[in-house]
Amino acid sequence: MRNHAAEKREFDVRVAMPIDPLITEGSRIGGRVRLTLVMDDDGGRLDVPYGQSVWSAMVDDEVGRTLHNGPFAMGGTGAGTAVTDANFGAPYPGLESASVEDGFGIRHHFRLTGGDEARFESELLLGGDEENFVRRRPDGPVRIGSDDDRVVIRVGPGSPRSASSVRRGSRSPIASPRRELRITPSRR
């Protein structure tokens, strides 16, 4: 995310991922973030005030875990980069969390000086006990969206460790280069 303005601006970016099946009776989450600040010739600063966080794991629109909590700041006086990493819930996903009825996601919230750029590499893993997975539709895969831009979620029978999967259409705005995400019921 680049601040094209001359003055400091506040950013609040959220990525939401709906799920089906939902997870009753609690879930587990884990994740990591790498934050890179790219500064122009005048240097730069990325910060967040007390009570806020640069990165949040969201479960049903509620904060499940935060990283880089305020007061937090990083920056420099000339052109260059600054990098910081943080993680939680290892072994992934290992942090006990609430049940999940709608979905999970990531929130980036920060202030950035003019002409500078913030780059995020984020990973958020969600798991639960297989017996707590409840499908919204009892038959067939779940399809969300139109034919070319849909999400297909399969929870298939097979071996006891078989993975459920999420497949996104090629024009999906959040499709990854692999075009597939995996939801794997974990067992404890």
Side-chain angles (χ1 to χ4, degrees), residues 104-166:
F104 65 113
I106 298 171
R107 177 185 183 200
H108 301 297
H109 184 218
F110 57 94
R111 298 179 298 200
L112 180 64
T113 51
D116 299 314
E117 181 179 355
R119 297 177 184 167
F120 291 90
E121 292 178 37
S122 295
E123 180 177 58
L124 179 60
L125 297 138
L126 174 72
D129 296 326
E130 192 170 356
E131 63 270 10
N132 292 331
F133 281 38
V134 177
R135 295 185 63 172
R136 295 179 194 275
R137 292 177 45 181
D139 302 345
V142 176
R143 291 178 173 85
I144 303 169
S146 65
D147 287 339
D148 291 335
D149 189 30
R150 72 173 172 218
V151 177
V152 177
I153 303 168
R154 297 183 191 279
V155 181
S159 68
R161 300 286 299 170
S162 68
S164 308
S165 67
V166 177

Side-chain angles (χ1 to χ4, degrees), residues 33-37 46 54 68 72 74 82-84 118-120:
V33 63
R34 169 169 278 188
L35 169 56
T36 303
L37 172 61
L46 180 145
V54 175
H68 301 309
F72 172 87
M74 62 188 293
V83 178
T84 185
R119 297 177 184 167
F120 291 90

Side-chain angles (χ1 to χ4, degrees), residues 8-12 35 45-56 66-74 107-112 120:
K8 182 185 277 190
R9 293 179 63 194
E10 183 172 354
F11 290 79
D12 190 359
L35 169 56
R45 180 179 169 98
L46 180 145
D47 64 40
V48 64
Y50 178 80
Q52 304 283 328
S53 65
V54 175
W55 188 94
S56 300
T66 60
L67 297 172
H68 301 309
N69 297 318
F72 172 87
M74 62 188 293
R107 177 185 183 200
H108 301 297
H109 184 218
F110 57 94
R111 298 179 298 200
L112 180 64
F120 291 90

Side-chain angles (χ1 to χ4, degrees), residues 13-71:
V13 179
R14 299 170 192 228
V15 176
M17 296 165 269
I19 65 167
D20 186 358
L22 58 92
I23 303 172
T24 62
E25 305 302 321
S27 63
R28 289 182 301 280
I29 59 175
R32 66 172 190 84
V33 63
R34 169 169 278 188
L35 169 56
T36 303
L37 172 61
V38 181
M39 298 167 282
D40 62 13
D41 291 338
D42 297 331
R45 180 179 169 98
L46 180 145
D47 64 40
V48 64
Y50 178 80
Q52 304 283 328
S53 65
V54 175
W55 188 94
S56 300
M58 309 297 290
V59 177
D60 287 340
D61 292 325
E62 298 293 326
V63 174
R65 177 63 189 227
T66 60
L67 297 172
H68 301 309
N69 297 318

